[in-house]
PDB file of all heavy atoms in Angstrom:
ATOM      1  N   THR R   1     -21.940 271.071 -85.842  1.00  0.00           N
ATOM      2  CA  THR R   1     -22.881 270.034 -86.165  1.00  0.00           C
ATOM      3  C   THR R   1     -22.121 268.885 -86.826  1.00  0.00           C
ATOM      4  O   THR R   1     -22.499 267.691 -86.474  1.00  0.00           O
ATOM      5  CB  THR R   1     -23.855 270.691 -87.092  1.00  0.00           C
ATOM      6  OG1 THR R   1     -24.545 271.746 -86.542  1.00  0.00           O
ATOM      7  CG2 THR R   1     -24.919 269.581 -87.627  1.00  0.00           C
ATOM      8  N   ALA R   2     -21.212 269.088 -87.698  1.00  0.00           N
ATOM      9  CA  ALA R   2     -20.505 268.004 -88.402  1.00  0.00           C
ATOM     10  C   ALA R   2     -19.815 267.156 -87.354  1.00  0.00           C
ATOM     11  O   ALA R   2     -19.686 265.891 -87.463  1.00  0.00           O
ATOM     12  CB  ALA R   2     -19.536 268.603 -89.374  1.00  0.00           C
ATOM     13  N   ALA R   3     -19.233 267.842 -86.320  1.00  0.00           N
ATOM     14  CA  ALA R   3     -18.574 267.023 -85.284  1.00  0.00           C
ATOM     15  C   ALA R   3     -19.486 266.160 -84.519  1.00  0.00           C
ATOM     16  O   ALA R   3     -19.020 265.058 -84.046  1.00  0.00           O
ATOM     17  CB  ALA R   3     -17.868 268.005 -84.224  1.00  0.00           C
ATOM     18  N   MET R   4     -20.762 266.451 -84.446  1.00  0.00           N
ATOM     19  CA  MET R   4     -21.726 265.529 -83.780  1.00  0.00           C
ATOM     20  C   MET R   4     -21.748 264.197 -84.485  1.00  0.00           C
ATOM     21  O   MET R   4     -22.054 263.150 -83.778  1.00  0.00           O
ATOM     22  CB  MET R   4     -23.053 266.237 -83.670  1.00  0.00           C
ATOM     23  CG  MET R   4     -23.131 267.504 -82.897  1.00  0.00           C
ATOM     24  SD  MET R   4     -23.020 267.266 -81.171  1.00  0.00           S
ATOM     25  CE  MET R   4     -23.208 268.948 -80.618  1.00  0.00           C
ATOM     26  N   THR R   5     -21.616 264.189 -85.735  1.00  0.00           N
ATOM     27  CA  THR R   5     -21.808 262.916 -86.538  1.00  0.00           C
ATOM     28  C   THR R   5     -20.592 261.966 -86.305  1.00  0.00           C
ATOM     29  O   THR R   5     -20.653 260.809 -86.702  1.00  0.00           O
ATOM     30  CB  THR R   5     -21.898 263.190 -88.017  1.00  0.00           C
ATOM     31  OG1 THR R   5     -20.621 263.720 -88.497  1.00  0.00           O
ATOM     32  CG2 THR R   5     -23.057 264.174 -88.322  1.00  0.00           C
ATOM     33  N   GLU R   6     -19.522 262.449 -85.673  1.00  0.00           N
ATOM     34  CA  GLU R   6     -18.397 261.647 -85.332  1.00  0.00           C
ATOM     35  C   GLU R   6     -18.471 260.897 -83.985  1.00  0.00           C
ATOM     36  O   GLU R   6     -17.709 260.062 -83.728  1.00  0.00           O
ATOM     37  CB  GLU R   6     -17.061 262.510 -85.341  1.00  0.00           C
ATOM     38  CG  GLU R   6     -16.836 263.192 -86.650  1.00  0.00           C
ATOM     39  CD  GLU R   6     -15.619 264.047 -86.663  1.00  0.00           C
ATOM     40  OE1 GLU R   6     -15.167 264.392 -85.531  1.00  0.00           O
ATOM     41  OE2 GLU R   6     -15.105 264.483 -87.712  1.00  0.00           O
ATOM     42  N   HIS R   7     -19.407 261.308 -83.201  1.00  0.00           N
ATOM     43  CA  HIS R   7     -19.590 260.656 -81.861  1.00  0.00           C
ATOM     44  C   HIS R   7     -20.046 259.210 -82.032  1.00  0.00           C
ATOM     45  O   HIS R   7     -21.022 258.999 -82.731  1.00  0.00           O
ATOM     46  CB  HIS R   7     -20.506 261.425 -81.028  1.00  0.00           C
ATOM     47  CG  HIS R   7     -20.074 262.838 -80.701  1.00  0.00           C
ATOM     48  ND1 HIS R   7     -20.928 263.893 -80.385  1.00  0.00           N
ATOM     49  CD2 HIS R   7     -18.856 263.401 -80.685  1.00  0.00           C
ATOM     50  CE1 HIS R   7     -20.251 265.008 -80.152  1.00  0.00           C
ATOM     51  NE2 HIS R   7     -18.956 264.701 -80.363  1.00  0.00           N
ATOM     52  N   PRO R   8     -19.417 258.313 -81.394  1.00  0.00           N
ATOM     53  CA  PRO R   8     -19.923 256.921 -81.491  1.00  0.00           C
ATOM     54  C   PRO R   8     -21.242 256.667 -80.807  1.00  0.00           C
ATOM     55  O   PRO R   8     -21.676 257.440 -80.016  1.00  0.00           O
ATOM     56  CB  PRO R   8     -18.726 256.108 -80.693  1.00  0.00           C
ATOM     57  CG  PRO R   8     -18.178 257.170 -79.795  1.00  0.00           C
ATOM     58  CD  PRO R   8     -18.215 258.490 -80.515  1.00  0.00           C
ATOM     59  N   PRO R   9     -22.003 255.650 -81.297  1.00  0.00           N
ATOM     60  CA  PRO R   9     -23.307 255.391 -80.806  1.00  0.00           C
ATOM     61  C   PRO R   9     -23.259 254.688 -79.451  1.00  0.00           C
ATOM     62  O   PRO R   9     -23.732 253.584 -79.247  1.00  0.00           O
ATOM     63  CB  PRO R   9     -23.896 254.469 -81.894  1.00  0.00           C
ATOM     64  CG  PRO R   9     -22.733 253.695 -82.380  1.00  0.00           C
ATOM     65  CD  PRO R   9     -21.577 254.685 -82.395  1.00  0.00           C
ATOM     66  N   ASP R  10     -22.723 255.440 -78.441  1.00  0.00           N
ATOM     67  CA  ASP R  10     -22.651 254.896 -77.102  1.00  0.00           C
ATOM     68  C   ASP R  10     -23.258 255.940 -76.107  1.00  0.00           C
ATOM     69  O   ASP R  10     -23.725 256.897 -76.522  1.00  0.00           O
ATOM     70  CB  ASP R  10     -21.249 254.454 -76.720  1.00  0.00           C
ATOM     71  CG  ASP R  10     -20.246 255.490 -76.812  1.00  0.00           C
ATOM     72  OD1 ASP R  10     -20.584 256.703 -76.560  1.00  0.00           O
ATOM     73  OD2 ASP R  10     -19.063 255.288 -77.204  1.00  0.00           O
ATOM     74  N   TRP R  11     -23.127 255.627 -74.799  1.00  0.00           N
ATOM     75  CA  TRP R  11     -23.656 256.510 -73.776  1.00  0.00           C
ATOM     76  C   TRP R  11     -22.595 257.351 -73.159  1.00  0.00           C
ATOM     77  O   TRP R  11     -22.837 258.044 -72.079  1.00  0.00           O
ATOM     78  CB  TRP R  11     -24.356 255.712 -72.733  1.00  0.00           C
ATOM     79  CG  TRP R  11     -25.693 255.165 -73.260  1.00  0.00           C
ATOM     80  CD1 TRP R  11     -25.920 254.086 -73.984  1.00  0.00           C
ATOM     81  CD2 TRP R  11     -26.937 255.883 -73.110  1.00  0.00           C
ATOM     82  NE1 TRP R  11     -27.252 253.929 -74.278  1.00  0.00           N
ATOM     83  CE2 TRP R  11     -27.878 255.031 -73.740  1.00  0.00           C
ATOM     84  CE3 TRP R  11     -27.350 257.023 -72.464  1.00  0.00           C
ATOM     85  CZ2 TRP R  11     -29.280 255.428 -73.799  1.00  0.00           C
ATOM     86  CZ3 TRP R  11     -28.716 257.368 -72.478  1.00  0.00           C
ATOM     87  CH2 TRP R  11     -29.628 256.581 -73.207  1.00  0.00           C
ATOM     88  N   GLU R  12     -21.361 257.467 -73.676  1.00  0.00           N
ATOM     89  CA  GLU R  12     -20.262 258.137 -72.994  1.00  0.00           C
ATOM     90  C   GLU R  12     -20.551 259.612 -72.789  1.00  0.00           C
ATOM     91  O   GLU R  12     -20.090 260.218 -71.854  1.00  0.00           O
ATOM     92  CB  GLU R  12     -18.966 257.936 -73.816  1.00  0.00           C
ATOM     93  CG  GLU R  12     -18.420 256.493 -73.653  1.00  0.00           C
ATOM     94  CD  GLU R  12     -18.193 256.028 -72.282  1.00  0.00           C
ATOM     95  OE1 GLU R  12     -17.614 256.763 -71.592  1.00  0.00           O
ATOM     96  OE2 GLU R  12     -18.641 254.921 -71.959  1.00  0.00           O
ATOM     97  N   ARG R  13     -21.289 260.261 -73.672  1.00  0.00           N
ATOM     98  CA  ARG R  13     -21.466 261.715 -73.666  1.00  0.00           C
ATOM     99  C   ARG R  13     -22.762 262.152 -72.956  1.00  0.00           C
ATOM    100  O   ARG R  13     -23.028 263.196 -72.844  1.00  0.00           O
ATOM    101  CB  ARG R  13     -21.482 262.302 -75.071  1.00  0.00           C
ATOM    102  CG  ARG R  13     -20.076 262.290 -75.748  1.00  0.00           C
ATOM    103  CD  ARG R  13     -20.180 262.907 -77.101  1.00  0.00           C
ATOM    104  NE  ARG R  13     -20.752 264.223 -77.122  1.00  0.00           N
ATOM    105  CZ  ARG R  13     -20.130 265.401 -76.798  1.00  0.00           C
ATOM    106  NH1 ARG R  13     -18.855 265.344 -76.452  1.00  0.00           N
ATOM    107  NH2 ARG R  13     -20.775 266.542 -76.930  1.00  0.00           N
ATOM    108  N   PHE R  14     -23.504 261.115 -72.500  1.00  0.00           N
ATOM    109  CA  PHE R  14     -24.752 261.491 -71.862  1.00  0.00           C
ATOM    110  C   PHE R  14     -24.641 262.361 -70.654  1.00  0.00           C
ATOM    111  O   PHE R  14     -25.469 263.284 -70.488  1.00  0.00           O
ATOM    112  CB  PHE R  14     -25.566 260.193 -71.481  1.00  0.00           C
ATOM    113  CG  PHE R  14     -26.898 260.535 -70.927  1.00  0.00           C
ATOM    114  CD1 PHE R  14     -27.961 260.864 -71.770  1.00  0.00           C
ATOM    115  CD2 PHE R  14     -27.177 260.547 -69.546  1.00  0.00           C
ATOM    116  CE1 PHE R  14     -29.207 261.149 -71.254  1.00  0.00           C
ATOM    117  CE2 PHE R  14     -28.379 260.856 -68.945  1.00  0.00           C
ATOM    118  CZ  PHE R  14     -29.406 261.181 -69.864  1.00  0.00           C
ATOM    119  N   SER R  15     -23.731 262.119 -69.799  1.00  0.00           N
ATOM    120  CA  SER R  15     -23.588 262.936 -68.596  1.00  0.00           C
ATOM    121  C   SER R  15     -23.283 264.407 -68.912  1.00  0.00           C
ATOM    122  O   SER R  15     -23.628 265.274 -68.191  1.00  0.00           O
ATOM    123  CB  SER R  15     -22.540 262.389 -67.682  1.00  0.00           C
ATOM    124  OG  SER R  15     -21.223 262.333 -68.334  1.00  0.00           O
ATOM    125  N   PHE R  16     -22.643 264.610 -70.095  1.00  0.00           N
ATOM    126  CA  PHE R  16     -22.325 265.958 -70.495  1.00  0.00           C
ATOM    127  C   PHE R  16     -23.602 266.639 -71.104  1.00  0.00           C
ATOM    128  O   PHE R  16     -23.955 267.772 -70.757  1.00  0.00           O
ATOM    129  CB  PHE R  16     -21.158 265.985 -71.594  1.00  0.00           C
ATOM    130  CG  PHE R  16     -21.000 267.282 -72.250  1.00  0.00           C
ATOM    131  CD1 PHE R  16     -20.354 268.288 -71.529  1.00  0.00           C
ATOM    132  CD2 PHE R  16     -21.394 267.536 -73.477  1.00  0.00           C
ATOM    133  CE1 PHE R  16     -20.206 269.601 -72.162  1.00  0.00           C
ATOM    134  CE2 PHE R  16     -21.246 268.743 -74.129  1.00  0.00           C
ATOM    135  CZ  PHE R  16     -20.592 269.774 -73.396  1.00  0.00           C
ATOM    136  N   ILE R  17     -24.245 265.844 -71.919  1.00  0.00           N
ATOM    137  CA  ILE R  17     -25.439 266.429 -72.617  1.00  0.00           C
ATOM    138  C   ILE R  17     -26.571 266.656 -71.576  1.00  0.00           C
ATOM    139  O   ILE R  17     -27.265 267.735 -71.753  1.00  0.00           O
ATOM    140  CB  ILE R  17     -25.973 265.431 -73.675  1.00  0.00           C
ATOM    141  CG1 ILE R  17     -24.945 265.142 -74.758  1.00  0.00           C
ATOM    142  CG2 ILE R  17     -27.288 265.846 -74.238  1.00  0.00           C
ATOM    143  CD1 ILE R  17     -24.635 266.396 -75.577  1.00  0.00           C
ATOM    144  N   ALA R  18     -26.745 265.810 -70.601  1.00  0.00           N
ATOM    145  CA  ALA R  18     -27.834 266.017 -69.664  1.00  0.00           C
ATOM    146  C   ALA R  18     -27.326 266.557 -68.307  1.00  0.00           C
ATOM    147  O   ALA R  18     -28.034 266.352 -67.278  1.00  0.00           O
ATOM    148  CB  ALA R  18     -28.468 264.564 -69.458  1.00  0.00           C
ATOM    149  N   SER R  19     -26.282 267.218 -68.328  1.00  0.00           N
ATOM    150  CA  SER R  19     -25.683 267.649 -67.015  1.00  0.00           C
ATOM    151  C   SER R  19     -26.596 268.528 -66.165  1.00  0.00           C
ATOM    152  O   SER R  19     -26.773 268.351 -64.993  1.00  0.00           O
ATOM    153  CB  SER R  19     -24.399 268.501 -67.284  1.00  0.00           C
ATOM    154  OG  SER R  19     -24.735 269.650 -68.145  1.00  0.00           O
ATOM    155  N   ARG R  20     -27.435 269.389 -66.859  1.00  0.00           N
ATOM    156  CA  ARG R  20     -28.389 270.252 -66.076  1.00  0.00           C
ATOM    157  C   ARG R  20     -29.480 269.390 -65.407  1.00  0.00           C
ATOM    158  O   ARG R  20     -29.841 269.648 -64.281  1.00  0.00           O
ATOM    159  CB  ARG R  20     -29.044 271.284 -67.043  1.00  0.00           C
ATOM    160  CG  ARG R  20     -30.077 272.175 -66.438  1.00  0.00           C
ATOM    161  CD  ARG R  20     -30.392 273.299 -67.336  1.00  0.00           C
ATOM    162  NE  ARG R  20     -31.105 272.790 -68.529  1.00  0.00           N
ATOM    163  CZ  ARG R  20     -32.424 272.628 -68.680  1.00  0.00           C
ATOM    164  NH1 ARG R  20     -33.202 272.794 -67.573  1.00  0.00           N
ATOM    165  NH2 ARG R  20     -32.922 272.224 -69.804  1.00  0.00           N
ATOM    166  N   HIS R  21     -29.933 268.396 -66.121  1.00  0.00           N
ATOM    167  CA  HIS R  21     -31.014 267.550 -65.534  1.00  0.00           C
ATOM    168  C   HIS R  21     -30.416 266.636 -64.488  1.00  0.00           C
ATOM    169  O   HIS R  21     -31.099 266.338 -63.433  1.00  0.00           O
ATOM    170  CB  HIS R  21     -31.653 266.738 -66.621  1.00  0.00           C
ATOM    171  CG  HIS R  21     -32.339 267.594 -67.669  1.00  0.00           C
ATOM    172  ND1 HIS R  21     -33.600 268.193 -67.384  1.00  0.00           N
ATOM    173  CD2 HIS R  21     -32.013 267.938 -68.895  1.00  0.00           C
ATOM    174  CE1 HIS R  21     -33.938 268.861 -68.424  1.00  0.00           C
ATOM    175  NE2 HIS R  21     -33.074 268.787 -69.355  1.00  0.00           N
ATOM    176  N   LEU R  22     -29.204 266.218 -64.629  1.00  0.00           N
ATOM    177  CA  LEU R  22     -28.552 265.431 -63.586  1.00  0.00           C
ATOM    178  C   LEU R  22     -28.367 266.209 -62.301  1.00  0.00           C
ATOM    179  O   LEU R  22     -28.612 265.658 -61.243  1.00  0.00           O
ATOM    180  CB  LEU R  22     -27.214 264.911 -64.127  1.00  0.00           C
ATOM    181  CG  LEU R  22     -27.259 263.836 -65.175  1.00  0.00           C
ATOM    182  CD1 LEU R  22     -25.885 263.620 -65.840  1.00  0.00           C
ATOM    183  CD2 LEU R  22     -27.782 262.497 -64.564  1.00  0.00           C
ATOM    184  N   LYS R  23     -27.984 267.495 -62.421  1.00  0.00           N
ATOM    185  CA  LYS R  23     -27.796 268.319 -61.262  1.00  0.00           C
ATOM    186  C   LYS R  23     -29.190 268.473 -60.536  1.00  0.00           C
ATOM    187  O   LYS R  23     -29.238 268.491 -59.332  1.00  0.00           O
ATOM    188  CB  LYS R  23     -27.160 269.592 -61.676  1.00  0.00           C
ATOM    189  CG  LYS R  23     -25.723 269.510 -62.037  1.00  0.00           C
ATOM    190  CD  LYS R  23     -25.117 270.899 -62.375  1.00  0.00           C
ATOM    191  CE  LYS R  23     -23.648 270.776 -62.799  1.00  0.00           C
ATOM    192  NZ  LYS R  23     -23.142 272.037 -63.263  1.00  0.00           N
ATOM    193  N   SER R  24     -30.215 268.708 -61.340  1.00  0.00           N
ATOM    194  CA  SER R  24     -31.593 268.902 -60.801  1.00  0.00           C
ATOM    195  C   SER R  24     -32.002 267.674 -60.034  1.00  0.00           C
ATOM    196  O   SER R  24     -32.758 267.798 -59.021  1.00  0.00           O
ATOM    197  CB  SER R  24     -32.532 269.239 -61.864  1.00  0.00           C
ATOM    198  OG  SER R  24     -32.307 270.406 -62.538  1.00  0.00           O
ATOM    199  N   ALA R  25     -31.531 266.506 -60.393  1.00  0.00           N
ATOM    200  CA  ALA R  25     -31.824 265.215 -59.722  1.00  0.00           C
ATOM    201  C   ALA R  25     -30.862 264.963 -58.604  1.00  0.00           C
ATOM    202  O   ALA R  25     -30.947 263.963 -57.946  1.00  0.00           O
ATOM    203  CB  ALA R  25     -31.841 264.101 -60.751  1.00  0.00           C
ATOM    204  N   GLY R  26     -29.941 265.954 -58.327  1.00  0.00           N
ATOM    205  CA  GLY R  26     -29.044 265.720 -57.206  1.00  0.00           C
ATOM    206  C   GLY R  26     -27.854 264.881 -57.523  1.00  0.00           C
ATOM    207  O   GLY R  26     -27.132 264.400 -56.594  1.00  0.00           O
ATOM    208  N   ILE R  27     -27.503 264.631 -58.784  1.00  0.00           N
ATOM    209  CA  ILE R  27     -26.431 263.776 -59.233  1.00  0.00           C
ATOM    210  C   ILE R  27     -25.279 264.678 -59.717  1.00  0.00           C
ATOM    211  O   ILE R  27     -25.319 265.153 -60.881  1.00  0.00           O
ATOM    212  CB  ILE R  27     -26.916 262.843 -60.353  1.00  0.00           C
ATOM    213  CG1 ILE R  27     -28.071 261.958 -59.833  1.00  0.00           C
ATOM    214  CG2 ILE R  27     -25.668 261.930 -60.737  1.00  0.00           C
ATOM    215  CD1 ILE R  27     -28.752 261.178 -60.999  1.00  0.00           C
ATOM    216  N   GLU R  28     -24.359 264.953 -58.895  1.00  0.00           N
ATOM    217  CA  GLU R  28     -23.238 265.799 -59.224  1.00  0.00           C
ATOM    218  C   GLU R  28     -21.869 265.264 -58.962  1.00  0.00           C
ATOM    219  O   GLU R  28     -20.910 265.567 -59.655  1.00  0.00           O
ATOM    220  CB  GLU R  28     -23.366 267.154 -58.418  1.00  0.00           C
ATOM    221  CG  GLU R  28     -24.635 267.938 -58.770  1.00  0.00           C
ATOM    222  CD  GLU R  28     -24.613 269.344 -58.105  1.00  0.00           C
ATOM    223  OE1 GLU R  28     -23.803 270.087 -58.452  1.00  0.00           O
ATOM    224  OE2 GLU R  28     -25.524 269.575 -57.314  1.00  0.00           O
ATOM    225  N   SER R  29     -21.718 264.443 -57.968  1.00  0.00           N
ATOM    226  CA  SER R  29     -20.449 263.863 -57.628  1.00  0.00           C
ATOM    227  C   SER R  29     -19.952 262.804 -58.640  1.00  0.00           C
ATOM    228  O   SER R  29     -20.705 262.275 -59.359  1.00  0.00           O
ATOM    229  CB  SER R  29     -20.449 263.290 -56.232  1.00  0.00           C
ATOM    230  OG  SER R  29     -21.278 262.044 -56.223  1.00  0.00           O
ATOM    231  N   GLU R  30     -18.711 262.677 -58.652  1.00  0.00           N
ATOM    232  CA  GLU R  30     -18.110 261.636 -59.567  1.00  0.00           C
ATOM    233  C   GLU R  30     -18.707 260.223 -59.291  1.00  0.00           C
ATOM    234  O   GLU R  30     -19.039 259.517 -60.238  1.00  0.00           O
ATOM    235  CB  GLU R  30     -16.596 261.603 -59.478  1.00  0.00           C
ATOM    236  CG  GLU R  30     -15.908 260.697 -60.488  1.00  0.00           C
ATOM    237  CD  GLU R  30     -14.392 260.788 -60.401  1.00  0.00           C
ATOM    238  OE1 GLU R  30     -13.929 261.822 -59.995  1.00  0.00           O
ATOM    239  OE2 GLU R  30     -13.731 259.826 -60.761  1.00  0.00           O
TER     240      GLU R  30
END
């Protein structure tokens, strides 16, 4: 949890956080 507070306020981690939903939408390739 503490490590989460170190993440910068940008969108860089979104693809990791939302990976399941991205795959469901057919978004998997680089």
Side-chain angles (χ1 to χ4, degrees):
T1 298
M4 298 290 183
T5 66
E6 297 178 347
H7 297 157
D10 55 36
W11 285 85
E12 292 302 314
R13 288 181 54 81
F14 181 79
S15 60
F16 171 74
I17 298 297
S19 59
R20 179 169 62 88
H21 297 286
L22 288 167
K23 289 179 180 178
S24 296
I27 304 170
E28 296 187 63
S29 68
E30 185 175 335

